[in-house]
Amino acid sequence: MYRRDFLTLFGLTLMGIVNHACGDNSQEYAEASNKKRIVVIGAGLAGLAAARELHRQGHEVVVIEARERIGGRIWTSLKWTDMPLDLGATWIHGTQGNPLTSLAEQIKAKRLITSYGRTVTYNTSGQVLSKAEEVQMENLRKKVFKILKQTQNEEIDVSIRQAIQPLIRQLDKSSEAYRFINFILSAEIEQEYSGSTQSLSVQWYDSDKTFSGDDALFVQGFRVIPEFLAQGLNIELGQVVKEIRWDQSPIEVITQKAEFIADHVVVTLPLGVLQSKSVRFIPELPRSKQNAIAKLGMGVLNKCYLRFPEVFWSVNVDWLEYVSEKPGEWTEWVSFNHVANMPILLGFNAADRGREIEAWSDTQIVASAMEVLRKIYGVGIPEPTDYQITRWATDPFSLGSYSYNPVGSLPRMRHELAAPLKGSVFFAGEASEESYFGTAHGAYLSGMRVAKEILKV
Ligand SMILES: Cc1cc2nc3c(=O)[nH]c(=O)nc-3n(C[C@H](O)[C@H](O)[C@H](O)COP(=O)(O)OP(=O)(O)OC[C@H]3O[C@@H](n4cnc5c(N)ncnc54)[C@H](O)[C@@H]3O)c2cc1C
C-alpha cells in the first residue's frame, strides 16, 4: 500500500515514474527513448554537478534530497542579514586551476582572499608568541614533519600520534614544548584533515593533491555555487532515501514517502551516511565497496561564529591561533574584520575535540570560547551579541564533516568506493575522490566524473 499510495500521490511529478507507470507507448515516449532516466541522490555539489551535466546532455534527471534545502555540506546561513556565513565549506582552497574558480567567474561571484600570511599566534597565557617561542615552535614543527616523512617510508603504517610518540615521550606534559606539539598537530593536521591524529594514517593522511593560489571566500556565501548548478534542474526536497534496489532494471529508489525508478542512479551520500547503513542497498553492496566504506574515515570540523558589538582583537589579521592547554581546543580562529569589516570571529574545533564539544550545550560552547578570548584579550571584552554553532557529526544527513585516511585505509579504497555497480549505479561525493577528497572541488569533480561515466554507457 505504501508504494502504490505514493506512486499515486507523487507519481505525476516524478520523472521516470511518468513513463513507467503510465505504460505510455506514445510518440512522446519514442522521442524520449534514447534518453536515460537518471535519479541523483543528494543535492550537494557532487549531485548537482552530475545532474547538471547529465541534464545538459538531454537526459531526464531528478535529484532527490533528504533536506529541505540544496547544497549539503555547503550551507550559507542568512541569519545575520548583513553577513551571509558559511556553516559548511567556506573557501575555494587554491584558486588556480580550481574548477570552482571557473564557476565563480561564470556567475561573477564576488570573492575575498584570506591569507595565512596575516596570522597572529598566542601562547597558552594569551601573549603573542615571543621571538624565542616562534623559533621553538618552528623547530618543533620541523621535527614533527621530519618524523612523519621518515615514518612514511616504513613498511607498517601507524597513526600520526604513534609516529611522534618517541618525541612526545621526551617532554614533560606541563611543558610549553608539549603544548606546542599538540598545537601543531591540531592546527596543521587535524583542522585540515578532520581526523584525529590517533587515527590518521601516517602513510596516507596527506595523499591528496592541492591547487595552488589563494584561499577565496564568497561575499554572498558559498551557496552561490550550488544555486547556480541547480538552475533548471528537477529537484525533490525532503526525500529521505531508505532503500536502493539496484540489481534490476529499472532500478528502484525508495524514500520515506515515494518511489523513483531509473535506468541509472547516482549515489552521492556522504561517507558518514553510508557507514551508518541508514540507506539499505538491495542486494548488499559488493564486499570491496563495503570494506572501503568501513575503512575510510569520516572526520569532524565544527564552527562557532561569535558576533560582537565591536572589534577588540588585532585588526590586521585573518587568522588568530591559540596554543591551548587542552589539546586541540579553540586553536584556530578566523577574523572577519580585515576581510569583511565585520565584528565577527569564527572558532574551529576538529576531530575528537570537535566531536566532544559538539555534545555540549550552546551556552557551554560559547562560554568555553569566551574563556579563551578573555585569556587573550582581557576580562573586559564584551559578551557576544549572538552566535551560530554547527554540529556536523550528529547531522543525520552528513554524520561528519569530510573524509580522511585513517590507519587501515589505502588510497585505492576511494576507487573502490567510486566503482559503479553493473554500469547502472554510480558513486560520487568528496569521499570517492582519490586526489581531492575532503573538499568542495573534490565533490564537484566527482560529480563531473560520474556524469562522464554515465555518458559512456
Ligand atoms: C565545516 C566544514 C567546513 C568545510 N570547509 C571547506 C572549505 O573551506 N573548502 C572546501 O573545499 N571544502 C570544505 N569542506 C568540505 C566540503 O564542504 C565537502 O567536501 C563537500 O561540500 C561535499 O559535497 P558532496 O556533494 O560530496 O556531499 P554533500 O554536500 O554532503 O551532499 C550529499 C547530499 O546527500 C544528502 N543526503 C544524505 N542522506 C540522504 C538520504 N538518505 N536521502 C537523500 N539525500 C541524502 C545530504 O543532505 C546532502 O545534501 C567543509 C566541510 C565542512 C562540514
Side-chain angles (χ1 to χ4, degrees):
M1 180 171 142
Y2 158 82
R3 271 174 58 167
R4 287 301 133 210
D5 277 356
F6 283 119
L7 274 179
T8 318
L9 196 58
F10 292 94
L12 288 178
T13 62
L14 302 182
M15 177 275 337
I17 290 178
V18 178
N19 283 342
H20 178 73
C22 299
D24 187 352
N25 291 325
S26 66
Q27 205 185 350
E28 189 189 332
Y29 184 71
E31 274 172 16
S33 65
N34 58 348
K35 285 188 187 176
K36 299 270 169 51
R37 298 166 300 178
I38 300 165
V39 166
V40 175
I41 301 173
L45 271 201
L48 293 173
R52 179 168 184 260
E53 194 53 28
L54 292 162
H55 175 70
R56 267 164 39 137
Q57 301 292 335
H59 294 295
E60 287 182 50
V61 183
V62 64
V63 182
I64 53 181
E65 165 57 49
R67 304 180 213 256
E68 294 296 340
R69 62 169 179 84
I70 63 163
R73 281 170 275 168
I74 289 185
W75 183 18
T76 306
S77 160
L78 302 177
K79 183 181 174 200
W80 298 340
T81 48
D82 53 352
M83 182 73 198
L85 289 178
D86 281 303
L87 304 178
T90 298
W91 290 276
I92 299 182
H93 282 308
T95 49
Q96 283 177 25
N98 192 313
L100 299 182
T101 302
S102 322
L103 289 179
E105 262 153 33
Q106 267 183 65
I107 56 173
K108 300 191 170 40
K110 278 207 183 124
R111 284 149 283 155
L112 300 167
I113 304 296
T114 59
S115 167
Y116 290 109
R118 286 190 289 272
T119 298
V120 57
T121 309
Y122 298 94
N123 67 18
T124 312
S125 44
Q127 305 300 311
V128 176
L129 289 194
S130 65
K131 275 278 163 269
E133 285 171 324
E134 272 180 16
V135 170
Q136 189 189 7
M137 178 80 89
E138 191 46 35
N139 287 340
L140 285 168
R141 181 179 286 118
K142 280 188 189 142
K143 269 192 195 160
V144 166
F145 285 99
K146 188 171 169 201
I147 293 172
L148 296 184
K149 200 139 211 88
Q150 282 166 348
T151 322
Q152 284 185 331
N153 296 324
E154 285 174 17
E155 236 166 72
I156 296 175
D157 194 14
V158 294
S159 74
I160 288 180
R161 223 350 112 171
Q162 276 171 291
I164 59 151
Q165 202 52 37
L167 174 63
I168 292 185
R169 228 182 276 128
Q170 298 165 16
L171 303 170
D172 185 335
K173 283 198 173 162
S174 60
S175 67
E176 182 108 275
Y178 182 79
R179 289 195 297 274
F180 279 2
I181 288 190
N182 281 319
F183 168 81
I184 292 162
L185 295 179
S186 167
E188 298 193 24
I189 298 181
E190 292 189 338
Q191 306 262 337
E192 181 164 351
Y193 291 103
S194 81
S196 143
T197 50
Q198 320 257 27
S199 162
L200 278 162
S201 149
V202 80
Q203 284 184 359
W204 305 117
Y205 78 99
D206 61 348
S207 66
D208 57 329
K209 290 188 194 153
T210 52
F211 289 107
S212 55
D214 295 321
D215 288 338
L217 58 82
F218 293 87
V219 172
Q220 294 304 320
F222 220 131
R223 73 194 162 106
V224 297
I225 297 292
E227 280 172 7
F228 168 61
L229 295 176
Q231 278 168 21
L233 293 179
N234 177 11
I235 301 176
E236 293 267 336
L237 297 176
Q239 295 279 1
V240 183
V241 173
K242 294 284 174 199
E243 232 171 75
I244 304 168
R245 295 170 189 241
W246 60 271
D247 197 12
Q248 58 185 54
S249 181
I251 304 161
E252 293 173 302
V253 177
I254 296 157
T255 73
Q256 91 291 20
K257 57 184 182 187
E259 176 185 318
F260 298 77
I261 59 163
D263 303 309
H264 298 307
V265 171
V266 176
V267 177
T268 75
L269 295 168
L271 178 65
V273 173
L274 290 170
Q275 288 174 332
S276 77
K277 299 199 169 146
S278 62
V279 178
R280 206 164 148 223
F281 287 83
I282 302 175
E284 281 196 353
L285 292 171
R287 205 160 275 282
S288 59
K289 200 179 288 288
Q290 284 191 41
N291 185 49
I293 290 168
K295 297 267 172 70
L296 291 167
M298 189 65 169
V300 178
L301 179 70
N302 272 323
K303 297 180 166 182
C304 170
Y305 286 99
L306 298 173
R307 182 171 188 142
F308 293 95
E310 77 258 341
V311 174
F312 53 80
W313 54 93
S314 329
V315 286
N316 282 324
V317 298
D318 290 332
W319 289 89
L320 312 168
E321 299 184 318
Y322 178 61
V323 180
S324 56
E325 188 94 53
K326 292 187 200 143
E329 204 167 287
W330 305 110
T331 47
E332 293 285 303
W333 295 80
V334 172
S335 162
F336 284 81
N337 176 49
H338 179 266
V339 73
N341 200 24
M342 296 297 288
I344 295 170
L345 284 176
L346 159 60
F348 292 95
N349 286 293
D352 290 347
R353 187 65 76 194
R355 233 176 258 278
E356 180 196 324
I357 291 179
E358 177 161 336
W360 299 354
S361 69
D362 285 6
T363 315
Q364 283 173 303
I365 294 175
V366 173
S368 156
M370 286 304 294
E371 203 181 306
V372 167
L373 294 177
R374 285 202 188 93
K375 205 169 250 181
I376 302 174
Y377 298 109
V379 288
I381 62 170
E383 282 293 323
T385 51
D386 203 357
Y387 62 82
Q388 298 191 51
I389 289 171
T390 68
R391 289 186 172 80
W392 285 102
T394 46
D395 180 321
F397 301 124
S398 180
L399 295 172
S401 298
Y402 44 92
S403 66
Y404 69 93
N405 290 335
V407 177
S409 70
L410 293 168
R412 71 163 160 77
M413 288 177 180
R414 300 200 182 257
H415 288 291
E416 286 159 1
L417 182 57
L421 302 175
K422 293 200 157 181
S424 59
V425 180
F426 296 79
F427 288 78
E430 57 84 11
S432 70
E433 270 303 288
E434 183 181 337
S435 301
Y436 298 106
F437 60 85
T439 63
H441 49 270
Y444 176 79
L445 289 169
S446 75
M448 296 305 281
R449 165 181 49 76
V450 149
K452 244 191 228 156
E453 286 169 0
I454 292 179
L455 293 171
K456 270 197 224 142
V457 174

